[in-house]
Amino acid sequence: MTTTAVRKGGPAAVTPPPTVGGHVRNYWSRVRGGDVGALPAVLGLIVLCTVFAVMRPSSFLSAGNFANLFTQGAAVTLIAMGLVFVLLLGEIDLSAGFASGVCAAVLANVVTVLGYPWWVAVLAAVATGLVIGTGLGLLVAKIGIPSFVVTLAGFLAFQGIVLLLVKEGTNISIRDNVLLAIANRNLTPTLGWALAALAVVGYAAVQLLRHRTRLARGLITDPIAVVALRIGGLAVILGTAVYVLNLERSRNVLFSSLKGVPIVVPVIAVLLIIWTFVLQRTSYGRHIYAVGGNREAARRAGINVDRIRISVFVICSSMAAVGGIVAASRANSVDPNTGGSNVLLYAVGAAVIGGTSLFGGKGRVLDAVLGGAVVAVIENGMGLMGYSAGVKYVVTGLVLLLAASVDAVSRRRAAATGTR
């Protein structure tokens, strides 16, 4: 199929259809120009998985460990998804970790101490996140305090609030079956296959509709072979993942069966789809990128910059609440360390390692998922190899430093080539 463009004072010019070779050349040109996207994270994930698979094949490649990777990195990934919005504006939220702890503590108190149903506790936790994000956003946008200072103060204050909510160090157990199921239960094998098929069909419909629409409007689009390759690639990845997760993971089948996709996986997938749509298909998302790229230009274009700045902190703290709920579900309880320790560092690292720029204006929610996978694989793989926590921190820090360096070099190259 060809597209036509009408020349002024002349016959219509026929634009040749896009080719796979041309698409590859354009992509390589963008990479050389500094637009590397999530390529470093994907390559790093492949390298890490290969190394650990070679070093510990029986343990790292087991179905049980594969499922554990999802539940192990779920809370950090969810918090990182919210941090992407803040980082897109060139801001930072150092309080996200303990904000998740505060929301988890509220959840535990409402459902266990006060005895309310699980859905009331979830609403209370998310509402707490909304209030926290609104407060942080107002201080940054309206008062003008730098986000680093505001969220550092929040980091300290929320740590104290967690201690107060758990009565200075007690452990609040969570016994509600619905809440415990989020990070500890699995879908049935049939439902796992059904959701995977639905995801592939939905993705295919979106890609093909987009391809057809751009062709109809005479716009440049990706070759249909590339579109088919994306759809096929997603089908292979999801099919393989569901097949492995549906394998029996129980050590004693006579007592219990353990197989299926962890429930937390579709939770992350749904939030990924929603926030990706918000960023890439709404005017609000375009305004976030505009403010992150050039705040003053966005203001002159009529964008309410303060509202955008407040809203990203609200989203970040709300996602921290979701991450706190998942963390509480996985631990079956809430204690003073919930949301603390390395949670914030891993969440920020996941967003940056995945490809979100610390300088603002560049990033996707998918970056948080990819970066979260890298962080989870490092922690899991090195644990299987018997390395201490100190070594894990050093390696994760070096990977984060490498990702930040790639970001800085890419921006410099993009500026030099005029692609940004």
Side-chain angles (χ1 to χ4, degrees):
M1 182 175 182
T2 59
T3 58
T4 59
V6 179
R7 292 180 179 175
K8 186 175 180 180
V14 178
T15 302
T19 63
V20 176
H23 179 81
V24 172
R25 287 191 295 271
N26 289 336
Y27 177 75
W28 180 242
S29 177
R30 292 199 304 271
V31 170
R32 294 182 62 186
D35 185 11
V36 295
L39 181 61
V42 174
L43 293 178
L45 188 60
I46 293 173
V47 171
L48 288 169
C49 289
T50 302
V51 170
F52 292 135
V54 171
M55 300 297 292
R56 291 290 186 274
S58 60
S59 52
F60 184 78
L61 295 178
S62 66
N65 189 61
F66 186 53
N68 186 52
L69 282 171
F70 287 103
T71 56
Q72 185 176 349
V76 166
T77 298
L78 288 166
I79 297 173
M81 290 167 69
L83 280 166
V84 166
F85 286 82
V86 174
L87 293 174
L88 281 172
L89 296 193
E91 306 283 2
I92 189 66
D93 187 354
L94 299 177
S95 68
F98 276 114
S100 73
V102 170
C103 296
V106 169
L107 174 89
N109 274 281
V110 172
V111 74
T112 300
V113 178
L114 300 179
Y116 284 96
W118 67 268
W119 57 270
V120 175
V122 169
L123 289 177
V126 175
T128 302
L130 289 172
V131 172
I132 290 174
T134 302
L136 295 176
L138 287 172
L139 289 173
V140 172
K142 296 299 185 182
I143 307 301
I145 307 175
S147 60
F148 179 88
V149 177
V150 171
T151 58
L152 179 60
F155 174 87
L156 298 172
F158 297 153
Q159 191 172 178
I161 293 175
V162 171
L163 285 172
L164 294 174
L165 288 174
V166 298
K167 305 298 186 292
E168 298 293 343
T170 60
N171 185 302
I172 304 178
S173 299
I174 295 178
R175 305 182 186 90
D176 186 271
N177 291 329
V178 175
L179 293 177
L180 293 176
I182 296 174
N184 298 287
R185 299 289 185 270
N186 305 298
L187 304 175
T188 63
T190 302
L191 184 56
W193 282 116
L195 290 179
L198 180 63
V200 173
V201 171
Y203 181 75
V206 170
Q207 289 292 310
L208 293 174
L209 180 61
R210 181 173 181 268
H211 181 78
R212 179 180 177 181
T213 301
R214 292 183 67 85
L215 281 179
R217 294 178 178 177
L219 302 175
I220 297 176
T221 186
D222 296 332
I224 189 63
V226 173
V227 175
L229 185 62
R230 289 177 184 154
I231 297 171
L234 179 66
V236 170
I237 293 173
L238 291 184
T240 303
V242 172
Y243 171 78
V244 174
L245 292 172
N246 281 344
L247 296 175
E248 184 60 62
R249 305 193 294 271
S250 176
R251 295 184 177 181
N252 195 329
V253 184
L254 296 177
F255 286 94
S256 63
S257 177
L258 183 61
K259 58 183 177 180
V261 178
I263 291 176
V264 74
V265 174
V267 171
I268 294 175
V270 169
L271 289 171
L272 172 63
I273 293 171
I274 291 173
W275 290 126
T276 298
F277 176 82
V278 168
L279 276 182
Q280 298 185 358
R281 292 289 183 268
T282 66
S283 58
Y284 170 73
R286 291 189 289 272
H287 289 171
I288 289 178
Y289 284 109
V291 174
N294 190 317
R295 187 178 302 172
E296 184 57 34
R299 193 188 309 276
R300 293 181 179 180
I303 297 174
N304 191 327
V305 174
D306 287 348
R307 183 179 300 173
I308 295 295
R309 296 178 74 191
I310 294 171
S311 67
V312 296
F313 281 97
V314 172
I315 291 173
C316 182
S317 295
S318 300
M319 288 301 296
V322 178
I325 293 170
V326 172
S329 173
R330 184 168 186 259
N332 297 345
S333 63
V334 173
D335 59 51
N337 291 322
T338 302
S341 185
N342 54 15
V343 172
L344 172 67
L345 302 179
Y346 278 1
V348 174
V352 176
I353 290 170
T356 299
S357 176
L358 285 168
F359 304 98
K362 187 183 75 172
R364 303 172 301 169
V365 181
L366 180 61
D367 296 341
V369 178
L370 293 173
V374 172
V375 172
V377 166
I378 292 175
E379 187 175 13
N380 178 273
M382 299 195 73
L384 292 175
M385 294 179 66
Y387 288 105
S388 65
V391 177
K392 294 180 187 177
Y393 288 147
V394 170
V395 173
T396 306
L398 290 175
V399 172
L400 174 58
L401 181 61
L402 178 61
S405 300
V406 170
D407 178 33
V409 172
S410 298
R411 289 178 64 88
R412 183 181 302 175
R413 181 173 296 179
T417 57
T419 58
R420 181 174 174 81

